[in-house]
Amino acid sequence: MALLHGLLKPFQTWNDWVLPIGRWFSIVAIALMVLAILIQVFFRYVLNAALPWPDEAARFMMLWLTGLMAPMAFRRGGFVAIDMVVMALPLKIGQVVSLFLLFISAGVLLMAINIGWGEVTGFGGKFKTASLYVPLAIDFSEWLRVPRSWMMASLLVGVVLLFIVNIELILRSMITFLGDGDRLKDLAPPEEEIMAE
C-alpha cells in the first residue's frame, strides 16, 4: 500500500500545483475571448466594417481554455458520465469496472497525445494563422503571424495533462479498491467552495 501511496504523491502534487495555474490562464483566455467577440460585434454591426482577426483570436482562446480546464474537470468528476450501471453493481465489482474504464481512457489519451504531437510538429503545424498577429517588439514595430502549431498545442497540452490526471485517478482507484481510500485527499472542493468560484 505504501508503494501505491508513494507512486500517487508526485502525480497528486503535480496536479495540485499545475491545474490551478491552468484554471487562471483559462479565466484570462475566456475574458479575452469574450472581448474579441464583443469587438467583432461592435465593428461588424455598429460600424459595418468587420475585422479579420477577432474570430480567429476567439477560437484560439477557446481552444486553450478548453485544453487547460478539461484536466481539472476530469479530476473533479466534472465530465458527463453514465455511472448508473457502476452504481447498480456491488461495490467491489463497480470499482473494478471503473478501474478498467480508466485504463481504457489512458489508452485513448496516449493515442491523442500522438495525434496532438503530429498536429504541432507535422505538416499542418508549419502553416500560419490567417489573420492573427502578435507583436515582436515593445514598440509594436515588428509583428509575427501566429503559427497554427501554437493553436494546436492546446490539444497536446490538454491531453498530456488529462493523461497525468488519469494516472492519478488510476492510482487512487487502486488504493480505494484495496481498502485504503479513506486516507486519500478529497479532489472535489466542498459544495460551498464551488459556488464561490
Side-chain angles (χ1 to χ4, degrees):
M1 194 61 66
L3 174 66
L4 287 175
H5 280 285
L7 289 172
L8 175 65
K9 186 153 183 64
F11 291 103
Q12 185 171 301
T13 303
W14 168 269
N15 289 329
D16 285 345
W17 280 90
V18 172
L19 298 185
I21 294 169
R23 179 177 182 266
W24 284 107
F25 275 111
S26 295
I27 290 169
V28 171
I30 200 166
L32 292 172
M33 182 180 80
V34 169
L35 180 64
I37 291 168
L38 290 175
I39 289 170
Q40 182 69 318
V41 166
F42 177 77
F43 274 84
R44 177 173 286 161
Y45 296 109
V46 176
L47 301 179
N48 200 22
L51 297 172
W53 61 268
D55 295 335
E56 201 162 27
R59 197 167 34 253
F60 186 90
M61 294 301 151
M62 181 184 64
L63 287 169
W64 272 101
L65 79 92
T66 303
L68 293 172
M69 281 303 292
M72 181 174 276
F74 183 40
R75 188 178 194 219
R76 290 183 174 184
F79 281 4
V80 174
I82 302 170
D83 58 357
M84 64 184 178
V85 173
V86 173
M87 300 296 250
L89 295 170
L91 180 65
K92 289 295 183 187
I93 295 172
Q95 289 174 340
V96 169
V97 169
S98 293
L99 190 57
F100 176 71
L101 293 173
L102 284 170
F103 276 109
I104 290 175
S105 296
V108 170
L109 289 168
L110 280 174
M111 288 188 286
I113 289 170
N114 189 34
I115 292 168
W117 182 257
E119 286 294 322
V120 172
T121 62
F123 180 70
K126 295 182 183 356
F127 294 106
K128 306 280 188 207
T129 54
S131 59
L132 204 52
Y133 292 84
V134 292
L136 282 177
I138 294 174
D139 64 355
F140 299 103
S141 61
E142 292 182 61
W143 290 79
L144 169 71
R145 201 158 137 205
V146 174
R148 183 177 174 273
S149 60
W150 291 8
M151 192 178 294
M152 297 314 295
S154 64
L155 169 67
L156 180 60
V157 169
V159 293
V160 166
L161 291 174
L162 281 166
F163 183 73
I164 294 169
V165 168
N166 195 72
I167 292 172
E168 178 189 4
L169 295 177
I170 287 171
L171 292 169
R172 292 174 66 85
S173 293
M174 291 171 80
I175 291 168
T176 301
F177 179 77
L178 295 172
D180 206 22
D182 54 334
R183 289 183 44 206
L184 295 174
K185 166 187 141 180
D186 267 345
L187 294 181
E191 198 64 35
E192 62 274 2
E193 204 176 299
I194 293 173
M195 297 306 291
E197 290 180 346

